[in-house]
Amino acid sequence: MSGLIYCREPEVTEPYYVRELGLYLYSAEELSYYIVNYVLLLPRDFIGERLYRFLGTQLRRPELEGKLRKWMSQTPDLYQGLLMLLQDLHYYGDEELNAFRQRLEELRRSGPMELLKKKGDFFLDVRQYGNALRTYDQILGERGNDADFLARIWHNRGVACVQMMQMEEAMDCFLRAWQTLKSESIAREIFTLYCIEPGMTMPGDVAESVSGELQYRWKEEIDAFEKNAAYMGKAR
């Protein structure tokens, strides 16, 4: 998490530990922020004893703890429980809560594999590339998924591999994605790897799918990028 969050709460003695991110939450505001921005990482049992104790003893809100316990015992719905909790913590306004409610509805409509993809994509966005790879591999290990869906998984897995400097593995992922999707954007990524990574070969079927003029323009852009990177030290 980044940025400044104004917290009205006194510092707690036993903060809430977030295993998925390896960080501690010290206030109701931080808890609210975590729920809204990292909802894809929340386990199904997120609303449980550990959270109840944090609300009641550390945030000194026994009424909210009791209310949430009663609610979840009668309606064990994680998403409804999260909304109720956020409403009572009063960190987000009505407009933000409505947007979050719509997001939860979208997640509710998603199938198990689509949810896993969203989780992997989230890891990719926050630069947790190892977690992204593990999530994508979990999807690829399942049978019966749509070919286009799997191709998008292979593509995003390739992006994670590039960020981890696993270029040969990235090329294999991009090729698997391109064989199904045949998109120009993936062809460009394959062409870029071919240009910047010594020893890479440009697959013939990919090269034939892109005009010589387009390949020339891509190469000019890569050369310009490398020229600029030479003056940027670590960015290289």
Side-chain angles (χ1 to χ4, degrees):
M1 298 183 337
S2 62
L4 179 66
I5 301 177
Y6 174 71
C7 301
R8 297 183 300 272
E9 309 286 344
E11 184 171 306
V12 302
T13 57
E14 295 181 16
Y16 185 91
Y17 180 62
V18 178
R19 302 185 186 94
E20 294 77 16
L21 297 176
L23 54 80
Y24 293 90
L25 306 178
Y26 289 84
S27 68
E29 290 84 358
E30 288 179 334
L31 176 61
S32 299
Y33 182 89
Y34 170 64
I35 290 172
V36 169
N37 290 276
Y38 293 83
V39 64
L40 283 167
L41 302 189
L42 300 182
R44 301 304 301 179
D45 61 351
F46 174 73
I47 300 180
E49 283 300 321
R50 201 160 65 92
L51 180 63
Y52 294 144
R53 289 196 300 271
F54 181 67
L55 292 172
T57 62
Q58 297 301 312
L59 298 186
R60 302 166 197 172
R61 300 194 181 192
E63 306 87 2
L64 177 55
E65 175 194 357
K67 180 180 177 181
L68 191 59
R69 280 183 183 274
K70 182 178 180 180
W71 175 278
M72 292 302 292
S73 66
Q74 297 174 347
T75 312
D77 185 312
L78 173 63
Y79 293 161
Q80 290 297 325
L82 293 177
L83 282 171
M84 194 212 76
L85 177 59
L86 289 172
Q87 288 169 347
D88 280 48
L89 290 177
H90 301 296
Y91 180 63
Y92 288 103
D94 291 341
E95 184 175 344
E96 294 163 314
L97 287 176
N98 284 333
F100 184 61
R101 181 181 290 105
Q102 292 174 11
R103 188 180 180 200
L104 292 180
E105 288 304 315
E106 177 187 341
L107 295 178
R108 194 187 296 279
R109 291 192 298 269
S110 301
M113 291 300 104
E114 184 63 31
L115 277 176
L116 270 181
K117 180 184 181 298
K118 291 178 185 294
K119 184 175 181 180
D121 294 348
F122 178 82
F123 281 133
L124 194 61
D125 289 341
V126 298
R127 302 182 181 183
Q128 291 196 15
Y129 304 120
N131 285 333
L133 286 179
R134 283 187 286 273
T135 306
Y136 293 141
D137 286 343
Q138 185 179 348
I139 298 172
L140 294 171
E142 296 289 336
R143 297 182 179 180
N145 286 307
D146 176 79
D148 284 0
F149 177 75
L150 288 179
R152 293 196 297 273
I153 298 300
W154 279 115
H155 171 265
N156 292 2
R157 190 183 190 281
V159 174
C161 287
V162 168
Q163 298 296 338
M164 298 179 72
M165 303 303 291
Q166 299 172 2
M167 299 306 187
E168 291 186 5
E169 192 168 350
M171 177 67 91
D172 177 67
C173 292
F174 288 148
L175 283 173
R176 289 172 181 265
W178 184 84
Q179 287 166 2
T180 298
L181 300 176
K182 297 289 194 296
S183 76
E184 183 180 297
S185 62
I186 298 177
R188 177 174 180 161
E189 290 166 330
I190 293 172
F191 181 82
T192 301
L193 282 182
Y194 160 73
C195 290
I196 68 175
E197 189 67 14
M200 287 281 186
T201 58
M202 182 69 173
D205 53 349
V206 179
E208 291 172 3
S209 72
V210 182
S211 69
E213 179 183 354
L214 191 54
Q215 291 187 43
Y216 180 80
R217 187 160 73 245
W218 289 349
K219 186 63 168 65
E220 282 189 324
E221 292 172 358
I222 294 168
D223 290 343
F225 178 83
E226 289 194 318
K227 184 178 180 180
N228 290 333
Y231 297 97
M232 296 170 66
K234 190 176 181 180
R236 173 78 178 180

